[in-house]
């Protein structure tokens, strides 16, 4: 074993000796080894938030674990400077995944956030025809594909990756020039009222008029720009272009429909979005009703809080907020449950409608549509491509849609022509229909009731039967079990004892809430109070109670728990 400078190396080998080791392994045809490049995502911010010494401790723990792996698997661990480590071990995916999981555990214990998880890139050593350093670089390249993906923290390098990285680099290096030369523009895609096909609004979608590649669609560059913050510059540019365009129409006496702009999560983190929008509206003397914002909720906690705070602020200032890509798995939950979004956008493509699963997709769509009408949040379904899909939507009572079936995204000049054709425009906008009757049958369908998506969107739910003062829990979903601490199963006895969940002093208030819900069938009643878990400990819960119907002398109710947290520990309050 060659040992060189071990200073500042966290007790593992250094780069030079690692590369020598790899060359030796590559020559040994009896060995099938691989290189793991380990890089911590956002490590700079970890140091900033938690301090350098916490950062060093984190690195030290990683190093210790890698040393243990080196010993256990006849491998070699090294520090490459910054937050980069490398490990050379026998190529075995099971081993790699277990290493990744262990490293994730270290990260989560340090910061309780997926933001600082290590990314692992793997290069499988096959012979010695490329230098060891190139092998390591390839492993590093594979880590780029892990960034931002909090489900999958390991990527194995393949040769196609190199050109993709280069392409990314080209995009990044051309953005500023593109902005300066006005190569960026936007298309508008109408949103339609399904019953009439008329245009009630439109979404601005960025396009890059690239001198070499032609019109580039955002999926080719947005994700790249989101990774490095450049998206903010493009978005601000587009927002301003949109405002300019609306102002242009007004000056020409063309009445615009509201135009929604897309706000990236990165925008919210990197700038004061409400202030910037305000400045733009002032600059172009526009009323807020013309500009709406589409935001996708993010996966990780710190961001969710910041996003929620930003949405609250935008609300206070009178903007309409649309929650984009609802049902994509990332969006959802608290935003809808706490009704802080004004409109929900559901994308057909997240619903798996085409395959054998289509029944389930439709069921999910239906449950979401029902629930959103309960929550009084209107829905726009996007990605509608054919009349069959439209028929489904109509049957479900969805009233607004966006998709190729109606209009493809179009240049603003073309959209302007649409706007001047009165027969095709509807200025009533997107509104919620007053909910008279809850359609709860589909929701109670056992197949869908516990579907992950529905579960996550709705949170804990319970159905009650009420006879006078006697209240029985008749049905709950999985999240309710979880909340009640019933470990996945609520015994029959527990189910019947509704009042066991309610502290003595609150009983009257609970009864009043049931009465209020029965009086106000459309809106239901809100309740906030203590909930006694199966083990006797207490939660603070927020819920909405809805009266469903009366049958055979008893009343049926539905409770949707919008939030809950440990009473002793309000800090533990979760945004799920
Ligand atoms: P998104 O916000 O979900 O936008 C809807 C996307 O679906 C658009 O793709 C639109 O052209 C496409 N689409 C509309 N109808 C249909 C249909 O019937 N079938 C199918 N298959 N697709 C349909 P586009 O324009 O390529 O945009 C992709 C994504 O890029 C957008 O998804 C949005 O997340 C992002 N994006 C677009 N413009 C901007 C922008 O100005 N700023 C930011 N930050 N993101 C943007
Ligand atoms: Ca959008
Ligand atoms: Ca969308």
């Amino acid at each position: 074993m060659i040992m060189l400078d071990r200073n500042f190396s966290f007790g593992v080998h250094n780069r030079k000796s690692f590369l020598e080791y790899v060359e030796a392994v590559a020559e040994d045809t009896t060995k099938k080894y691989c290189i793991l490049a380990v890089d911590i995502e956002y490590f700079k911010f970890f140091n900033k938030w938690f301090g350098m010494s916490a950062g060093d401790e984190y690195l030290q723990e990683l190093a210790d674990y890698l040393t243990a792996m080196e010993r256990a698997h006849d491998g070699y661990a090294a520090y490459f400077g910054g937050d980069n480590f490398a490990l050379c071990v026998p190529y075995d995916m099971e081993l790699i995944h277990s290493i990744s999981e262990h490293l994730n555990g270290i990260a989560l214990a340090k910061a309780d956030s997926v933001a600082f998880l290590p990314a692992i890139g793997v290069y499988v050593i096959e012979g010695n025809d490329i230098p060891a350093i190139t092998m390591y670089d390839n492993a590093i390249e594979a880590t780029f594909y892990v960034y931002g993906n909090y489900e999958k923290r390991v990527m194995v390098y393949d040769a196609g990756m190199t050109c993709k990285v280069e392409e990314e680099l080209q995009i990044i290096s051309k953005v500023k020039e593109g902005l300066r030369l006005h190569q960026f523009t936007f298309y508008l895609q109408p949103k339609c009222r399904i019953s009439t096909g008329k245009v009630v609004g439109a979404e601005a979608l960025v396009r890059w008029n690239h001198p070499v590649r032609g019109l580039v669609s955002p999926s080719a560059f947005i994700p790249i720009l989101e990774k490095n913050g450049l998206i903010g510059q493009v978005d601000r540019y587009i927002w301003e272009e949109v405002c300019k365009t609306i102002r242009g129409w007004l000056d020409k006496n063309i009445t615009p429909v509201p135009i929604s702009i897309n706000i990236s999560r990165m925008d919210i983190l990197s700038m004061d979005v409400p202030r910037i929008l305000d400045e733009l509206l002032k600059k172009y003397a526009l009323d807020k009703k013309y500009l709406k914002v589409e935001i996708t909720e993010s996966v990780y906690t710190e961001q969710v809080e910041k996003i929620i705070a930003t949405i609250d602020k935008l609300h206070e200032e009178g903007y309409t907020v649309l929650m984009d890509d609802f049902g994509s798995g990332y969006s959802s939950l608290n935003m809808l449950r706490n009704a802080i979004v004004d409109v929900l956008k559901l994308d057909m493509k997240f619903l798996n409608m085409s395959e054998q699963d289509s029944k389930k997709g439709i069921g999910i769509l239906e449950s979401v549509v029902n629930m959103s009408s309960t929550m009084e949040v209107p829905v726009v379904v996007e990605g509608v491509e054919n009349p069959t899909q439209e028929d489904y939507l109509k049957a479900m009572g969805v009233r607004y849609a966006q998709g190729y079936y109606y209009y493809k995204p179009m240049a603003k000049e073309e959209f302007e022509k649409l706007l001047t054709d009165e027969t095709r425009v509807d200025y009533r906008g997107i509104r919620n229909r007053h909910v008279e009757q809850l359609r709860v049958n589909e929701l109670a369908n056992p197949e869908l009731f516990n579907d992950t998506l529905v579960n996550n969107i709705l949170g804990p739910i319970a159905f009650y039967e009420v006879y006078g003062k006697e209240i029985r829990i008749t049905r709950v979903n999985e999240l309710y079990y979880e909340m009640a601490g019933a470990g996945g199963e609520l015994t029959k006895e527990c189910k019947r004892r509704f009042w066991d969940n309610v502290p003595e002093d609150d009983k009257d208030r609970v009864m009043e809430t049931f009465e209020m819900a029965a009086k106000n069938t459309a809106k239901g009643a809100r309740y906030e109070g203590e909930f006694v878990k199966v083990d006797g400990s207490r939660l603070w819960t927020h819920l909405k109670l809805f009266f469903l119907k009366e049958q055979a002398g008893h009343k049926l109710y539905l409770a949707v728990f919008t939030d809950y947290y440990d009473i002793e520990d309000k800090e533990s309050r979760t945004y799920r």
Side-chain angles (χ1 to χ4, degrees):
M1 200 187 283
I2 311 148
M3 276 202 248
L4 290 163
D5 178 19
R6 291 186 80 118
N7 289 337
F8 302 108
S9 60
F10 300 97
V12 289
H13 306 284
N14 66 15
R15 170 192 165 99
K16 185 161 179 285
S17 64
F18 181 83
L19 295 175
E20 282 167 6
Y21 177 87
V22 168
E23 308 246 299
V25 164
E27 260 169 44
D28 184 345
T29 49
T30 64
K31 284 184 166 170
K32 177 112 173 135
Y33 269 51
C34 64
I35 297 174
L36 271 60
V38 180
D39 177 89
I40 301 163
E41 208 165 332
Y42 295 115
F43 188 64
K44 245 192 258 163
F45 288 95
F46 184 93
N47 275 329
K48 195 170 151 199
W49 291 7
F50 302 101
M52 293 294 271
S53 63
D56 284 348
E57 272 169 38
Y58 180 8
L59 294 178
Q60 187 62 59
E61 273 187 49
L62 287 188
D64 291 347
Y65 178 71
L66 294 178
T67 305
M69 288 299 100
E70 159 185 305
R71 296 210 177 111
H73 301 284
D74 187 22
Y76 208 83
Y79 177 59
F80 271 61
D83 58 342
N84 294 102
F85 289 91
L87 180 68
C88 185
V89 278
Y91 175 51
D92 168 3
M93 280 318 285
E94 223 167 280
L95 171 66
I96 295 168
H97 284 298
S98 97
I99 292 175
S100 168
E101 259 160 44
H102 192 97
L103 294 178
N104 289 347
I106 295 178
L108 291 171
K110 289 280 166 217
D112 194 23
S113 159
V114 292
F116 308 109
L117 292 181
I120 298 182
V122 180
Y123 177 79
V124 184
I125 302 172
E126 273 155 354
N128 60 353
D129 39 346
I130 58 173
I133 185 64
T134 310
M135 298 182 196
Y136 172 77
D137 283 346
N138 289 344
I140 284 283
E141 221 155 270
T143 64
F144 297 160
Y145 292 81
V146 174
Y147 295 153
N149 181 347
Y150 297 97
E151 308 273 299
K152 192 163 184 237
R153 302 305 296 173
V154 176
M155 251 342 231
V156 179
Y157 172 84
D158 79 68
M161 287 179 172
T162 310
C163 46
K164 215 175 147 196
V165 168
E166 213 176 316
E167 208 180 293
E168 288 196 18
L169 215 77
Q170 268 181 2
I171 285 174
I172 292 165
S173 58
K174 293 284 180 215
V175 166
K176 287 212 168 128
E177 184 183 287
L179 285 169
R180 198 162 33 82
L181 298 177
H182 302 283
Q183 288 168 0
F184 287 90
T185 180
F186 63 89
Y187 269 32
L188 288 164
Q189 185 178 32
K191 298 176 189 178
C192 298
R193 183 183 300 281
I194 293 178
S195 60
T196 58
K198 288 189 182 182
V199 178
V200 292
E203 174 176 10
L205 296 157
V206 65
R207 296 289 181 266
W208 188 351
N209 224 326
H210 198 278
V212 183
R213 299 166 175 220
L215 207 58
V216 185
S217 97
S219 48
F221 60 89
I222 298 264
I224 299 166
L225 303 184
E226 270 178 340
K227 273 197 263 182
N228 50 37
L230 280 169
I231 185 68
Q233 299 182 31
V234 175
D235 275 342
R236 283 178 77 155
Y237 180 85
I238 295 296
W239 303 342
E240 175 143 18
E241 288 300 302
V242 168
C243 289
K244 240 186 238 171
T245 303
I246 298 175
R247 171 57 24 217
W249 289 330
L250 289 168
D251 289 344
K252 282 200 259 181
N253 269 328
I254 297 171
T255 316
V257 287
I259 306 294
S260 51
I261 51 169
N262 283 286
I263 295 188
S264 160
R265 285 168 275 167
M266 274 306 288
D267 296 336
I268 292 181
L269 297 182
S270 64
M271 58 178 129
D272 185 350
V273 174
R275 190 182 53 91
I276 288 164
L277 295 183
D278 269 359
E279 284 170 7
L280 282 175
L281 291 184
K282 268 199 204 101
K283 183 167 170 190
Y284 294 95
L286 295 178
D287 191 287
K288 287 200 175 83
K289 69 181 180 204
Y290 294 124
L291 199 67
K292 301 191 173 190
V293 299
E294 296 193 6
I295 303 180
T296 314
E297 194 190 341
S298 94
V299 241
Y300 37 107
T301 357
E302 297 91 328
Q303 295 208 356
V304 170
E305 267 154 31
K306 180 103 197 256
I307 289 173
I308 288 178
T310 306
I311 291 180
D312 275 346
K313 183 123 192 274
L314 288 168
H315 257 299
E316 266 167 40
E317 295 182 4
Y319 289 96
T320 302
V321 180
L322 291 84
M323 182 161 162
D324 210 350
D325 297 346
F326 190 78
S328 64
Y330 291 129
S331 56
S332 64
L333 332 184
N334 254 25
M335 294 228 190
L336 174 63
R337 285 196 269 139
N338 292 333
I340 60 171
V341 290
D342 301 286
V343 179
L344 213 69
K345 287 190 85 175
L346 260 165
D347 197 318
M348 290 299 255
K349 78 168 177 271
F350 296 123
L351 294 168
N352 264 333
M353 300 287 268
S354 50
E355 293 127 49
Q356 68 276 38
D357 248 5
S358 73
K359 229 180 173 169
K360 194 173 160 201
I362 293 163
I364 290 174
L365 180 62
E366 191 153 11
S367 306
V368 171
V369 168
N370 278 340
M371 196 32 64
S372 59
S373 78
T374 307
M375 299 299 204
E376 297 170 56
V377 183
V379 174
V380 177
V381 175
E382 59 183 326
V384 180
E385 291 181 345
N386 56 54
T388 320
Q389 292 174 333
E390 191 193 60
D391 286 344
Y392 278 132
L393 299 178
K394 274 187 187 155
M396 286 172 207
V398 175
R399 294 185 304 151
Y400 308 102
Q402 179 183 344
Y404 297 165
Y405 180 57
Y406 306 93
Y407 296 97
K408 290 203 166 172
M410 58 183 85
K412 52 178 181 278
E413 294 75 20
E414 199 181 331
F415 187 78
E416 186 177 312
K417 279 190 211 133
L418 245 184
L419 275 183
T420 46
D421 180 352
E422 265 172 38
T423 63
R424 292 160 83 183
V425 188
D426 177 340
Y427 291 106
R428 281 176 295 167
I430 294 170
R431 285 190 219 158
N432 192 49
R433 178 160 45 193
H434 192 59
V435 193
E436 292 301 343
Q437 186 73 50
L438 246 180
R439 292 162 56 196
V440 77
N441 302 352
E442 296 83 1
L443 188 68
N445 171 351
E447 242 178 79
L448 297 169
F449 195 54
N450 276 322
D451 183 273
T452 323
L453 177 65
V454 174
N455 246 325
N456 285 340
I457 294 162
L458 304 178
I461 310 174
F463 286 90
Y464 306 114
E465 267 176 19
V466 181
Y467 309 78
K469 289 221 163 173
E470 196 194 325
I471 300 176
R472 275 170 50 173
I473 308 174
T474 55
R475 241 192 119 121
V476 300
N477 67 346
E478 271 163 28
L479 283 183
Y480 183 95
Y481 288 129
E482 228 174 77
M483 176 181 76
E489 219 172 300
L490 214 54
T491 60
K492 275 197 177 133
E493 218 178 309
C494 280
K495 275 196 184 183
R496 260 186 267 120
R497 283 205 235 119
F498 168 82
W499 290 110
D500 289 356
N501 300 145
V502 183
E504 196 56 43
D505 291 350
D506 291 344
K507 289 193 168 164
D508 290 344
R509 213 156 55 83
V510 167
M511 234 25 253
E512 280 163 22
T513 310
F514 274 95
E515 280 155 23
M516 247 156 64
K519 271 189 209 134
N520 199 343
T521 49
K523 285 204 152 163
R526 277 182 196 280
Y527 180 83
E528 205 183 301
E530 286 185 24
F531 176 95
V532 185
K533 289 173 60 164
V534 172
D535 66 2
S537 64
R538 287 176 182 209
L539 294 172
W540 189 261
T541 56
H542 296 241
L543 59 89
K544 260 183 131 177
L545 189 69
F546 298 97
F547 169 71
L548 303 177
K549 60 179 174 185
E550 189 151 6
Q551 74 183 33
H554 60 258
K555 290 180 171 146
L556 279 185
Y557 290 85
L558 162 73
V560 180
F561 290 79
T562 53
D563 201 2
Y564 65 91
Y565 39 93
D566 234 325
I567 231 152
E568 274 92 46
D569 180 18
K570 290 212 173 176
E571 294 296 302
S572 80
R573 180 170 174 172
T574 46
Y575 282 110
R576 283 164 316 111

